[in-house]
Amino acid sequence: MKHVTIKDIAKSLCISVSTVSRALTDDKNIRKETRDMVMAEAKRLGYKRNPVAMNLKMGRTNTIGVIVPEMHTPYAAQVISGIQEVLYKRNQKVLLAESDENANREYDNLNMMEQFMVDGLIVSMCSYRKNSDKYLQLAKQGMAIVFYDRIPYGMDMPQVLVDDNNDSFFMVEYLIRHGRKRIAYIQGPDDIYNTYLREQGYREAMEKFKLYDPTLIVKTGMTFKDGADAIDRLISKGVDFDAVYAFTDTLAIGAMNRLRDLGKHVPDDVSVAGFSGTELSTIVSPQLTTMEPPLAEMGRKAAEMVMEKINNPEMENSKVVLKTTMRKRESTGEKED
């Protein structure tokens, strides 16, 4: 469908494009008769203003880009809900892209956001080791960028996150104080900085109680199958364990399902805990003990920060650390209130 432009109106009325433009913007130097004539012809032809073009004249697109690593779980959806809650009230459009845990695709998404001239960007990274130069380039060009959850390392940019180290420590300590001594940790990919921080918290808790054993750590990917495969690897190596703590709920659920397939009872034989706190943790049986970040709040805060950065580019880059909640459930022998 061909869109009617101001050139079409000008041609129909045999007047200049600039006159039509000034009439449509209610320029005080345009006579009322000319303005009324232009408005009537615009209505007859079905002309609609192009808000993108108008915003570009003002130096903004009123569009915020959001890049998430995956959309397979409810994690990203809850954050996006918080982002939209803030931005829609401020008449901002949201341009959403998924990187599918692929740094190359994330790079393509960044190029797309640049081409669409978004005013700001909210990102959860695939890899803290890759694409740093691109982020720095975009920031230098004036794009407001806020990272959430999966953060960069060594880049001074606004961030919204949880205390992965401490929260991981407290989860492992909870398992230890409930009688578990051989706690396996299913660790995610090294490219995700949170993986390092949660492993650090796990290690500190195990060392505190003199229980640390590196054979209990299994590095893997991010899927349900990766969680299941981690259990098989532990068993094939003859590693004895009475609890499993996983980098994400997805990995924890994959591990829990595999334990059940092998005839193990959760939590009687093996306790299982994760870190994510989405609906996934409550729709499995037994329900999963997890560390729950305030995901919608994370999205709201990231959206507020990106708008602040757009309106005040010289503002100091801040880091906001949100509080998590430990949800104790049946997978560790408890029922949540």
Side-chain angles (χ1 to χ4, degrees):
M1 184 179 71
K2 183 181 183 299
H3 294 283
V4 177
T5 69
I6 60 174
K7 291 182 179 179
D8 297 320
I9 301 172
K11 183 178 179 181
S12 177
L13 294 175
C14 297
I15 59 178
S16 70
V17 171
S18 61
T19 298
V20 173
S21 177
R22 292 200 301 273
L24 291 172
T25 56
D26 203 17
D27 190 307
K28 64 181 181 180
N29 295 316
I30 295 293
R31 292 188 305 164
K32 181 179 183 303
E33 294 81 0
T34 302
R35 178 189 176 281
D36 291 345
M37 177 181 67
V38 170
M39 296 300 289
E41 188 65 6
K43 182 177 181 181
R44 187 185 74 80
L45 294 175
Y47 169 79
K48 289 182 172 57
R49 294 187 182 186
N50 184 339
V52 174
M54 294 178 67
N55 288 331
L56 284 174
K57 288 182 179 179
M58 302 296 292
R60 289 190 182 179
T61 61
N62 288 341
T63 303
I64 306 299
V66 178
I67 302 179
V68 299
E70 58 85 20
M71 286 289 288
H72 310 301
T73 70
Y75 197 97
Q78 289 181 240
V79 177
I80 292 168
S81 175
I83 291 172
Q84 292 176 328
E85 181 183 333
V86 171
L87 295 182
Y88 283 177
K89 290 178 181 177
R90 303 190 185 189
N91 297 316
Q92 302 294 307
K93 298 177 288 296
V94 175
L95 182 60
L96 178 64
E98 177 191 18
S99 296
D100 198 27
E101 301 290 2
N102 184 312
N104 292 329
R105 183 174 294 183
E106 179 181 282
Y107 186 85
D108 291 340
N109 288 335
L110 290 170
N111 283 331
M112 178 188 70
M113 297 297 178
E114 184 179 18
Q115 290 167 5
F116 276 87
M117 301 175 67
V118 299
D119 297 326
L121 199 55
I122 300 173
V123 185
S124 183
M125 304 177 79
C126 290
S127 168
Y128 77 93
R129 295 173 172 172
K130 300 175 181 176
N131 297 331
S132 296
D133 289 346
K134 185 65 178 179
Y135 285 113
L136 291 172
Q137 172 212 321
L138 294 174
K140 188 174 181 180
Q141 291 172 190
M143 184 181 293
I145 303 176
V146 174
F147 293 96
Y148 79 88
D149 185 38
R150 298 193 194 176
I151 58 172
Y153 177 74
M155 275 198 286
D156 180 25
M157 291 191 185
Q159 302 170 16
V160 185
L161 64 157
V162 297
D163 193 335
D164 288 283
N165 186 319
N166 278 355
D167 293 339
S168 187
F169 177 94
F170 291 137
M171 178 61 81
V172 176
E173 184 181 54
Y174 159 76
L175 292 170
I176 293 170
R177 293 192 183 281
H178 281 71
R180 305 296 170 165
K181 299 185 182 302
R182 297 284 297 173
I183 303 169
Y185 176 55
I186 302 179
Q187 181 173 332
D190 287 339
D191 270 9
I192 302 173
Y193 193 61
N194 310 52
T195 296
Y196 163 74
L197 294 173
R198 291 179 198 173
E199 189 275 335
Q200 191 176 51
Y202 163 84
R203 180 192 294 256
E204 289 171 359
M206 295 292 278
E207 288 178 343
K208 174 183 176 180
F209 292 91
K210 297 180 172 53
L211 299 173
Y212 180 71
D213 178 354
T215 66
L216 288 165
I217 299 176
V218 183
K219 292 186 179 182
T220 186
M222 294 289 287
T223 67
F224 292 110
K225 185 178 184 303
D226 290 325
D229 290 345
I231 296 299
D232 288 337
R233 286 164 59 187
L234 287 166
I235 292 174
S236 68
K237 292 179 180 179
V239 178
D240 180 46
F241 58 96
D242 57 13
V244 172
Y245 167 53
F247 174 61
T248 67
D249 287 358
T250 300
L251 291 171
I253 292 169
M256 193 160 61
N257 288 342
R258 183 57 180 154
L259 287 167
R260 183 178 57 203
D261 292 342
L262 295 171
K264 302 290 185 181
H265 294 283
V266 177
D268 296 339
D269 298 325
V270 182
S271 287
V272 180
F275 198 124
S276 292
T278 69
E279 292 92 334
L280 289 178
S281 60
T282 62
I283 63 176
V284 293
S285 181
Q287 291 191 354
L288 180 67
T289 291
T290 184
M291 194 65 78
E292 182 180 289
L295 299 179
E297 183 183 352
M298 186 177 288
R300 287 191 293 269
K301 191 61 186 175
E304 290 168 357
M305 288 172 69
V306 81
M307 292 305 300
E308 289 171 1
K309 193 68 176 176
I310 290 169
N311 294 324
N312 182 13
E314 302 304 318
M315 69 177 289
E316 183 179 350
N317 293 325
S318 60
K319 179 185 292 187
V320 175
V321 181
L322 301 178
K323 186 178 180 181
T324 59
T325 303
M326 186 186 295
R327 300 296 185 187
K328 303 171 186 176
R329 300 193 177 105
E330 296 169 351
S331 69
T332 55
E334 297 195 43
K335 289 190 178 182
E336 190 174 21
D337 295 335

